[in-house]
Amino acid sequence: MAASRALQEARKHAIPTARIALRGESLLTNPRYNKGTSFTHRERKDFGLTGRLPSGVNTLDEQIERAYEQLSSRHDPLRKNTFLQSLKDQNWVLYFALVSKHLKELVPIIYTPTEADAIAQYSHLFRRSEGLYLTFSDRETMEEEFLEQTVKQGREIDLVVCTDAEAILGIGDQGVGGIAISAAKSVMYTLIGGVDPARSLSVMLDVGTDSEKLLNDRLYVGWKHKRVRGEEYDQFLDKFVQLVRKYYPHSLLHFEDFAAKNAYHLLMRYRNQHAVFNDDIQGTGAVTLACLMAAIGVANDHAHNKKGSLASQRYVIMGAGSAGLGIATQIRDAIATADHVSKEEACGKFWMVDREGLVYDIGEGMAKGVGEIKGRLEGFVRSADEGWKGDVSLLDVVKQVKPTVLIGCSTAAGAFSQEVIQAMMDGGCERPIVFPLSNPSRLVEAKPEDIMNWTNGRALVATGSPFPPVKMHVDGREKEFRIAECNNALIYPGLGFGAVLAKTKELTDKMIVAGAHRLAELSPAIRRRHGKNEDHAGEALLPDFEEAPKINFEIGVAVAEEVVREGDSGVDGLKVTDVRERAKEKVWVPLYADYEYDPKGEVW
């Protein structure tokens, strides 16, 4: 496994030494420095631990083995989640080393989907605080509370993950329980992106909740008040953002699980002031863009046509919500960047379809199917002058537009019918690029197996949920097609790592596109084609999630290199040629250091 190989590689290097001021119980209860039974006999004597631990000294590998046995004895996913949360509260190195070794198995336990259940029961499972809680009712003392948990403790922060918990993991408004998604996202940045957990901060912006269930729950631990909105909300968020900018100007500020309206508003308001990122918008768009780049590369090779590009495609996207718009925006910006066309011209290559049909202008500031035209949707609304009338179905659009790319994020199960896919091919598309991305799998627009059968194995497919390989007979022989999973975790930790590595002041479109390009280059389908001078041979368009740590390291390097090229790095004298070595030095790996006692040493 990639994560295990990373640990093995790290062990080849010299074990670092840390000078620690903590002793006794304060050391054993500090998750950053606690080693449990891995404290050596010399360390136990120096730090007042003799008699506080059993006599045996374990290696980290032995601790991982024991912890995994304990974890495996719990069969319910939520109980596994609770066990791992308890382990994280006790010992960071052991926690991250265990999850790294069993990455593909345990990420669904510590993140989606199991974390959603833990968040929903947060007030009934509460054990200890796990981040910074900033509450609207205490807004006058926000700076004091922020400083107490950061600057006054001598903390250096590279990453801040915040949420107001209005749109959590498909389960909606979860109030103060949202702190768990901020913490889980921070974990993913460490686990897959190599960001030092001591340099990340998880924040809950408690502006109330509109959940009657939570407001009527006597055990609810958040602020029992309806959600604050409008100008008061904006002022509260702005005060927080300005604190981050003031005290940690080179940090990455990640907005997580805000409702779509606020998510776009915050991203647009601050993206030119600070390095900010929204995974729901930019991460989804970036991983889809990378998958698309790989698919175009494969299609070009098959057709012996090297002129195919992002700008030469025609895109039909079913789903005009935040995910669909995020994907369309990211691809549009990449077209503008890579093919040197205006964003307005790039918008003309997209047709957005919702459940009621094509989104087009019907006059007086209104669009068919979505109502009022505003915000980011505006550029993607088709003109009625093109001849559209009434409800224009997906099939009607495909027949008239003759798209080369069909993307679904509508949760309209089965929307990509055989007739729709056949219409793509009838329109002259030799290798249709079809991405049914809706989650969960029961809501997917079309099953990969069906798409491949309908196209005799010619389609290039990626999904939003994991699907097994498709086995079928093509031209008289059995062939297996691996289906790429468009998983945001294949790119956003690397985007974040690259941003903090180069200390960028902004996370620009070019930086995100650079990360997407690097991910596309690492596509198994592209590597197979280049390595053997043949078609993609059924390989997936994106790497397997098991490779995520290695892949995100490469993405981080690509992003940091672009930061340097743009002249936006906050690291004095950093050159493009220096980035990879700096990345190797900065990536955090869960290994124990040797401790020496120093009363003036580290305490956090």
Side-chain angles (χ1 to χ4, degrees):
M1 296 173 67
S4 298
R5 289 197 296 271
L7 287 174
Q8 292 167 5
E9 184 66 26
R11 289 190 176 105
K12 296 178 183 178
H13 301 288
I15 298 175
T17 298
R19 308 188 73 83
I20 309 296
L22 300 172
R23 298 184 82 254
E25 193 70 16
S26 61
L27 180 56
L28 286 175
T29 56
N30 185 304
R32 180 183 179 185
Y33 297 117
N34 180 28
K35 296 184 183 183
T37 56
S38 283
F39 281 109
T40 66
H41 290 300
R42 190 269 304 165
E43 289 172 330
R44 297 179 189 202
K45 181 177 179 181
D46 292 349
F47 288 90
L49 300 176
T50 302
R52 293 178 181 270
L53 293 166
S55 62
V57 175
N58 289 137
T59 65
L60 177 57
D61 285 331
E62 289 170 338
Q63 288 184 315
I64 292 172
E65 181 182 356
R66 180 168 57 236
Y68 187 67
E69 285 182 0
Q70 292 176 271
L71 178 69
S72 299
S73 70
R74 293 157 171 80
H75 301 294
D76 178 67
L78 187 57
R79 290 192 66 208
K80 289 177 183 284
N81 176 284
T82 302
F83 173 82
L84 289 170
Q85 179 63 40
S86 177
L87 183 62
K88 180 160 72 84
D89 290 343
Q90 300 171 56
N91 185 325
W92 284 357
V93 168
L94 178 54
Y95 168 81
F96 283 108
L98 171 64
V99 180
S100 293
K101 187 172 182 179
H102 302 278
L103 188 68
K104 200 166 183 176
E105 174 189 352
L106 296 185
V107 162
I109 299 297
I110 65 170
Y111 191 49
T112 180
T114 309
E115 186 65 13
D117 294 331
I119 291 171
Q121 300 183 46
Y122 182 77
S123 291
H124 293 259
L125 298 174
F126 186 84
R127 289 182 305 275
R128 57 175 291 179
S129 60
E130 52 187 323
L132 174 62
Y133 302 78
L134 298 175
T135 306
F136 182 82
S137 59
D138 299 324
R139 59 194 177 281
E140 298 302 325
T141 58
M142 182 192 290
E143 184 165 11
E144 180 182 337
E145 294 166 4
F146 181 88
L147 293 177
E148 281 291 341
Q149 298 299 318
T150 56
V151 177
K152 290 184 179 180
Q153 293 190 29
R155 294 187 64 180
E156 296 181 17
I157 303 294
D158 289 331
L159 170 70
V160 179
V161 182
C162 69
T163 187
D164 72 354
E166 190 171 4
I168 296 289
L169 292 175
I171 58 174
D173 188 342
Q174 296 299 317
V176 78
I179 186 64
I181 194 60
S182 291
K185 211 74 175 190
S186 295
V187 163
M188 296 294 283
Y189 271 110
T190 295
L191 191 66
I192 296 173
V195 175
D196 186 343
R199 300 174 72 95
S200 66
L201 178 68
S202 305
V203 181
M204 175 63 216
L205 299 168
D206 190 353
V207 293
T209 177
D210 288 339
S211 168
E212 292 298 330
K213 179 180 179 181
L214 295 178
L215 292 172
N216 294 323
D217 185 349
R218 64 186 182 86
L219 295 182
Y220 180 59
V221 294
W223 183 44
K224 287 192 175 184
H225 194 283
K226 286 286 188 179
R227 280 190 174 270
V228 173
R229 301 193 183 276
E231 186 176 348
E232 285 188 318
Y233 175 90
D234 288 343
Q235 290 175 350
F236 181 75
L237 266 292
D238 187 66
K239 187 172 184 178
F240 165 69
V241 173
Q242 299 312 324
L243 287 174
V244 174
R245 294 186 64 214
K246 177 180 178 180
Y247 293 105
Y248 299 105
H250 293 293
S251 63
L252 176 70
L253 177 56
H254 178 120
F255 295 110
E256 180 67 18
D257 284 351
F258 286 76
K261 180 181 179 180
N262 287 329
Y264 280 109
H265 169 66
L266 292 169
L267 184 61
M268 293 301 103
R269 180 173 183 177
Y270 296 112
R271 69 175 306 178
N272 296 323
Q273 299 180 31
H274 192 81
V276 297
F277 181 74
N278 186 300
D279 185 40
D280 302 310
I281 300 170
Q282 295 163 294
T284 300
V287 73
T288 306
L289 172 62
C291 196
L292 176 63
M293 289 174 173
I296 291 172
V298 172
N300 284 346
D301 183 74
H302 183 270
H304 305 291
N305 170 22
K306 303 304 179 185
K307 294 183 180 179
S309 65
L310 288 170
S312 66
Q313 311 302 315
R314 295 180 300 281
Y315 303 88
V316 170
I317 299 180
M318 185 168 187
S322 58
L325 282 173
I327 290 169
T329 300
Q330 195 68 68
I331 298 172
R332 178 205 65 187
D333 293 348
I335 291 172
T337 299
D339 295 290
H340 308 292
V341 300
S342 69
K343 290 186 177 181
E344 290 73 22
E345 182 180 346
C347 277
K349 302 179 184 300
F350 293 83
W351 287 260
M352 306 295 295
V353 179
D354 73 349
R355 287 174 180 266
E356 297 181 29
L358 179 70
V359 176
Y360 67 94
D361 191 349
I362 56 175
E364 299 183 356
M366 302 293 286
K368 179 67 178 176
V370 295
E372 185 180 355
I373 301 173
K374 56 184 178 181
R376 295 165 70 87
L377 177 64
E378 185 172 3
F380 297 104
V381 176
R382 305 304 301 192
S383 171
D385 294 340
E386 297 172 2
W388 307 110
K389 294 181 180 179
D391 293 337
V392 185
S393 70
L394 174 64
L395 180 60
D396 293 334
V397 174
V398 170
K399 286 181 175 180
Q400 183 160 333
V401 170
K402 297 179 174 58
T404 56
V405 179
L406 180 61
I407 298 173
C409 37
S410 63
T411 67
F416 295 173
S417 65
Q418 182 174 1
E419 193 176 7
V420 167
I421 302 302
Q422 186 62 51
M424 282 187 77
M425 299 190 73
D426 291 344
C429 183
E430 185 179 359
R431 300 298 303 269
I433 297 171
V434 185
F435 295 169
L437 301 180
S438 287
N439 285 310
S441 57
R442 60 183 174 80
L443 298 179
V444 72
E445 287 81 5
K447 295 178 181 178
E449 182 178 8
D450 290 336
I451 297 171
M452 299 307 291
N453 280 312
W454 295 336
T455 62
N456 195 33
R458 304 179 75 81
L460 297 161
V461 180
T463 57
S465 298
F467 278 88
V470 174
K471 295 181 180 181
M472 58 183 293
H473 282 85
V474 179
D475 299 328
R477 63 189 180 94
E478 188 172 78
K479 196 169 184 180
E480 181 176 274
F481 297 92
R482 294 179 178 85
I483 305 302
E485 180 188 355
C486 261
N487 189 325
N488 293 24
L490 285 173
I491 196 165
Y492 79 79
L495 296 175
F497 179 62
V500 302
L501 180 68
K503 295 186 175 181
T504 183
K505 304 178 194 70
E506 299 177 36
L507 187 59
T508 66
D509 292 337
K510 284 187 176 181
M511 295 171 195
I512 294 174
V513 170
H517 265 295
R518 184 61 56 88
L519 176 55
E521 291 170 352
L522 296 170
S523 158
I526 295 296
R527 285 185 291 182
R528 176 67 176 262
R529 185 197 68 184
H530 287 169
K532 296 190 176 182
N533 193 30
E534 60 180 49
D535 193 10
H536 74 301
E539 294 287 355
L541 295 173
L542 290 176
D544 189 89
F545 181 73
E546 207 167 68
E547 299 293 313
K550 180 174 66 177
I551 297 298
N552 276 279
F553 177 85
E554 292 298 327
I555 292 168
V557 169
V559 171
E561 289 172 343
E562 181 59 31
V563 173
V564 176
R565 280 192 288 268
E566 292 186 35
D568 197 40
S569 175
V571 181
D572 291 338
L574 183 62
K575 300 176 182 178
V576 171
T577 52
D578 300 332
V579 167
R580 184 169 292 274
E581 285 305 312
R582 177 175 169 81
K584 290 178 182 178
E585 294 171 1
K586 293 295 183 179
V587 69
W588 187 85
V589 178
L591 293 173
Y592 292 128
D594 278 338
Y595 291 169
E596 292 184 3
Y597 179 69
D598 181 348
K600 296 183 179 180
E602 299 178 30
V603 295
W604 201 99

